Amino acid sequence: QVQLVESGGGLVQPGGSLRLSCAASGSIVSIDNMGWYRQAPGKQRELVARIISSGSTNYGDSVKGRFTISRDNAKNTVSLQMNSTKPEDTAVYYCNAHIRLTLGYTASFWGQGTQVTVSS
């Protein structure tokens, strides 16, 4: 029906940069919110950044000024540019999208997750 495929995770040194991407495909009419969440071991999943179709964004307090979210509405993609990374950014990062389907309703979908490890 709908797939969210993430890419770009990996190992980065503290202070380094990494870019995550997520592509949505399937029976899509339009996409409302798109965002990134993360979950570290033993912690709850938390919002990293979110962007709505108009381009308005909001960020988790811990990443403000370091991470930037962007989207390409024509390609149904969302990206997360991670700069000035810290060890506490280590987590599995999940893409999320609220998608209006050809079936006539809106649903929330999640990617499979991509591991980001910040370590020297």
Side-chain angles (χ1 to χ4, degrees):
Q1 192 178 21
V2 171
Q3 276 192 317
L4 298 182
V5 178
E6 299 137 337
S7 60
L11 174 65
V12 61
Q13 291 188 341
S17 297
L18 203 62
R19 186 175 181 87
L20 306 182
S21 295
C22 173
S25 62
S27 304
I28 298 170
V29 173
S30 62
I31 302 179
D32 301 328
N33 296 343
M34 298 188 83
W36 291 92
Y37 291 74
R38 68 186 182 186
Q39 188 166 19
K43 295 188 177 181
Q44 289 189 331
R45 190 172 296 190
E46 64 175 359
L47 172 70
V48 177
R50 184 168 51 212
I51 184 169
I52 64 175
S53 57
S54 66
S56 179
T57 60
N58 64 291
Y59 295 88
D61 288 342
S62 62
V63 306
K64 284 180 181 176
R66 300 188 298 120
F67 292 7
T68 302
I69 190 170
S70 60
R71 64 186 283 176
D72 185 329
N73 292 331
K75 296 181 179 179
N76 291 335
T77 59
V78 62
S79 297
L80 184 70
Q81 179 65 41
M82 306 169 59
N83 297 330
S84 302
T85 54
K86 302 176 180 180
E88 51 263 44
D89 294 323
T90 296
V92 178
Y93 285 69
Y94 297 91
C95 175
N96 173 258
H98 291 247
I99 298 175
R100 186 172 302 275
L101 305 174
T102 57
L103 293 173
Y105 62 90
T106 298
S108 179
F109 294 89
W110 292 89
Q112 79 283 1
T114 185
Q115 176 70 45
V116 171
T117 302
V118 183
S119 175
S120 55

